[in-house]
Amino acid sequence: MSMDFAPPKYAQVMTAIQQRITDGEYAPGDMLPSETQLVREFGVGRTTVVRALQTLAMQGWIEREHGRGSFVKGRPESPADRLRPALATAEHPESAENVTDVRRVPAPRHVARLLGAEERTPVITRQRVVMRGGRCSAVETLWFPLEIALGTDLDKPEPLRHGVRHHLQTVKHLRFDHITERLTARAPTKEEAELLGSPKPVLGVLATVHDATGAVLLVMSVALPGDLHELQDVYSVT
């Protein structure tokens, strides 16, 4: 007897939609095709499509609005995602309220070193804040080599609706392959302290994003107030 079992049809529909969201085909805020369109595309019944959409909504992938349709929220955060702040920083959509500064600056020494460039080489920096409960819960600073930012909207103050990763993939066909993160407890910079409203120590994440060749696409620094963030991991011991 064959032990290969096809997943239920509603699960197949879910998997296809999840993959499209993960790949950026359906970006946060986008409206999904209607139930009728999905029925036709997947060749299943309406009940199957409704069940798939209801499950996606319960899992946090989409939001369903009565009389309007289903809208993408994005890939839900998992416990593993919370341990990957750099990836979350690259994927979060921006808003006019959280982009605080965009400009061309000389690369600081530590950023230039990570980029493999000379100190004070011009880069584009993009600084943002994350608000939670009326309080700044993170300050994110991203540095882009000029050759990466050229031809994109990364040097413009307008918010990126779909986030940095999606923007680079869509506009310049650049794909993230791996990210190196270093976590330290440190004092905030003067600028970070002003945005956070506190000079208290932060959890600092310094990360480099690489393509498949190993080239660095950007460097990012994330300052997380220690009283708002904690690290937790679960792993097996063999």
Side-chain angles (χ1 to χ4, degrees), residues 110-122:
H110 69 290
V111 172
R113 184 177 68 251
L114 293 173
L115 291 174
E118 296 291 331
E119 184 178 352
R120 302 189 67 77
T121 296

Side-chain angles (χ1 to χ4, degrees), residues 4-238:
D4 295 328
F5 299 95
K9 289 183 178 180
Y10 85 92
Q12 296 177 41
V13 176
M14 282 180 55
T15 300
I17 294 175
Q18 289 169 337
Q19 190 61 53
R20 293 173 187 179
I21 293 173
T22 300
D23 291 344
E25 182 179 345
Y26 296 157
D30 285 353
M31 178 186 287
L32 290 182
S34 68
E35 292 177 8
T36 300
Q37 290 172 312
L38 293 173
V39 166
R40 292 173 179 169
E41 177 182 354
F42 291 102
V44 297
R46 185 176 294 274
T47 301
T48 298
V49 167
V50 169
R51 183 177 181 185
L53 295 176
Q54 288 175 336
T55 306
L56 288 169
M58 286 189 294
Q59 293 180 352
W61 289 84
I62 66 172
E63 184 174 13
R64 306 192 74 199
E65 297 185 16
H66 182 70
R68 294 191 62 203
S70 299
F71 296 84
V72 176
K73 293 178 66 177
R75 185 165 62 88
E77 184 183 70
S78 68
D81 292 331
R82 289 193 287 273
L83 301 177
R84 298 164 182 162
L87 181 59
T89 296
E91 293 187 338
H92 285 166
E94 298 178 344
S95 69
E97 292 73 29
N98 78 338
V99 179
T100 63
D101 189 30
V102 179
R103 53 182 163 153
R104 178 170 170 165
V105 299
R109 178 182 302 173
H110 69 290
V111 172
R113 184 177 68 251
L114 293 173
L115 291 174
E118 296 291 331
E119 184 178 352
R120 302 189 67 77
T121 296
V123 294
I124 298 297
T125 183
R126 197 170 186 88
Q127 190 171 71
R128 314 178 305 193
V129 295
V130 177
M131 304 301 295
R132 184 175 299 167
R135 179 180 170 187
C136 182
S137 67
V139 177
E140 305 168 341
T141 308
L142 297 81
W143 292 275
F144 303 90
L146 294 185
E147 61 270 22
I148 296 295
L150 182 65
T152 73
D153 294 333
L154 295 171
D155 60 346
K156 298 177 175 60
E158 290 75 22
L160 302 176
R161 182 183 172 214
H162 302 315
V164 167
R165 182 183 184 185
H166 182 270
H167 187 71
L168 283 174
Q169 181 173 315
T170 302
V171 177
K172 301 202 73 171
H173 309 293
L174 296 173
R175 292 184 176 274
F176 291 9
D177 182 78
H178 61 280
I179 299 176
T180 302
E181 291 186 6
R182 185 180 69 190
L183 177 68
T184 59
R186 62 172 175 82
T189 66
K190 181 180 178 180
E191 203 168 19
E192 289 170 341
E194 291 176 354
L195 292 169
L196 291 169
S198 171
K200 293 181 180 179
V202 298
L203 294 174
V205 179
L206 185 63
T208 51
V209 178
H210 305 257
D211 66 12
T213 71
V216 179
L217 301 178
L218 70 141
V219 173
M220 63 179 75
S221 173
V222 184
L224 306 166
D227 60 334
L228 292 182
H229 298 269
E230 65 179 8
L231 297 180
Q232 178 177 317
D233 196 6
V234 178
Y235 54 91
S236 61
V237 179
T238 59

